[in-house]
Amino acid sequence: MDVSTETDNQPPATTYKRVMLKISGEALMGDQGFGLHPPTVQRIAREVKSVHDLGVEICMVIGGGNIFRGLSGSAQGMERTTADYMGMLATVMNALAMQSALEDLGVFTRVISAIRMDEVCEPYIRRRAVRHLEKKRVCIFAAGTGNPYFTTDTAATLRASEMKCEAIFKGTKVDGVYDKDPARHADAKRYDHVTFDDVLARRLGVMDASAIALARDNNLPIIVFSLDEPGGFRGILAGRGTYTKVEG
């Protein structure tokens, strides 16, 4: 990645001008088993602000698994469409929590929902969302695609494509993509680069297959990094850090 040298007087340059940050709802739980952990939400908000301070335009999609996961609800006997809509509402709650944390730091944001709920957030209108980004507001896209049977991974890839983002940053608990679970296998190998087709063929679990296929078809790279590493998001944008890049 070609970047300029960081100086004391100006932030490091980055080749990315507009990015999508996708994180799971579980990332907001901290050490809890459920719900929102305010200190964790605030920590992630500080990470986002540090990148916003570089002049990067930021989109976000946050999952809802810390509150309700539609697929799990369906597995327990709930009708799938209803369960998925409940999961979408959970993502709105997470988006509002992140908005509050970011605005406490002085970062202007908009929560934009695929399901209309005008009292708490804006409806999704692509041209309006693009204008928010141009005004350096962080856009948090909520309620997935607005349709059941689609994950927030797919929603993030769809919105990133519509917003003409240059990359999707997938924040996880590990510092990249491994050939097997590094938490259970000491000999797990981390990839620096991997292709979309390899992710699909090897079922590497970066995102669901629909999201990977959509990213591949739109030449949209996915950068997988550890959200638990302080300064990791900003570091990668400045040309440092450990991550896996999924492309081509």
Side-chain angles (χ1 to χ4, degrees):
M1 186 182 301
D2 296 327
V3 295
S4 64
T5 303
E6 183 172 1
T7 70
D8 293 335
N9 298 321
Q10 64 183 47
T14 170
T15 55
Y16 294 114
K17 300 303 181 186
R18 181 179 295 173
V19 301
M20 166 65 72
L21 174 62
K22 168 61 172 69
I23 61 177
S24 67
E26 287 88 347
L28 306 184
M29 293 192 309
D31 294 330
Q32 302 174 157
F34 179 82
L36 290 158
H37 182 239
T40 299
V41 177
Q42 292 158 10
R43 177 183 62 79
I44 295 172
R46 289 193 296 271
E47 294 282 332
V48 174
K49 181 182 185 301
S50 73
V51 171
H52 184 266
D53 289 344
L54 296 176
V56 178
E57 297 171 1
I58 303 172
C59 305
M60 293 184 70
V61 168
I62 306 171
N66 58 318
I67 298 172
F68 189 87
R69 185 179 295 279
L71 194 58
S72 297
S74 176
Q76 295 177 31
M78 186 176 293
E79 195 271 324
R80 174 65 187 271
T81 301
T82 299
D84 279 354
Y85 279 122
M86 291 174 67
M88 292 178 212
L89 295 178
T91 72
V92 176
M93 295 173 68
N94 285 338
L96 292 172
M98 183 58 63
Q99 179 183 46
S100 177
L102 284 168
E103 294 197 338
D104 280 347
L105 297 172
V107 179
F108 292 107
T109 73
R110 291 292 187 274
V111 172
I112 302 172
S113 173
I115 298 174
R116 293 192 71 101
M117 45 188 80
D118 295 346
E119 288 77 11
V120 295
C121 51
E122 292 185 6
Y124 176 68
I125 300 172
R126 187 188 65 83
R127 291 173 66 93
R128 182 187 294 176
V130 169
R131 186 61 178 147
H132 287 320
L133 291 170
E134 292 171 348
K135 291 182 177 179
K136 306 304 179 183
R137 296 165 181 158
V138 173
C139 288
I140 308 173
F141 295 103
T145 66
N147 300 288
Y149 295 94
F150 289 93
T151 67
T152 52
D153 281 345
T154 300
T157 309
L158 175 63
R159 296 295 183 239
S161 300
E162 291 177 307
M163 295 298 105
K164 300 189 183 302
C165 292
E166 295 163 333
I168 298 173
F169 281 73
K170 175 73 181 288
T172 69
K173 292 186 176 297
V174 294
D175 58 357
V177 179
Y178 287 78
D179 61 348
K180 48 192 169 184
D181 187 352
R184 295 190 296 174
H185 301 277
D187 61 342
K189 174 187 174 183
R190 186 182 63 79
Y191 300 104
D192 288 328
H193 292 85
V194 65
T195 68
F196 293 118
D197 289 340
D198 281 343
V199 168
L200 292 171
R202 300 178 191 175
R203 299 184 178 182
L204 294 177
V206 176
M207 288 181 166
D208 66 75
S210 297
I212 293 295
L214 184 59
R216 179 191 60 193
D217 293 347
N218 287 281
N219 298 313
L220 186 60
I222 302 170
I223 295 171
V224 183
F225 72 104
S226 173
L227 197 65
D228 293 335
E229 179 67 27
F233 187 21
R234 178 186 171 101
I236 293 168
L237 281 158
R240 304 185 302 269
T242 303
Y243 58 91
T244 299
K245 189 172 187 179
V246 185
E247 59 185 345

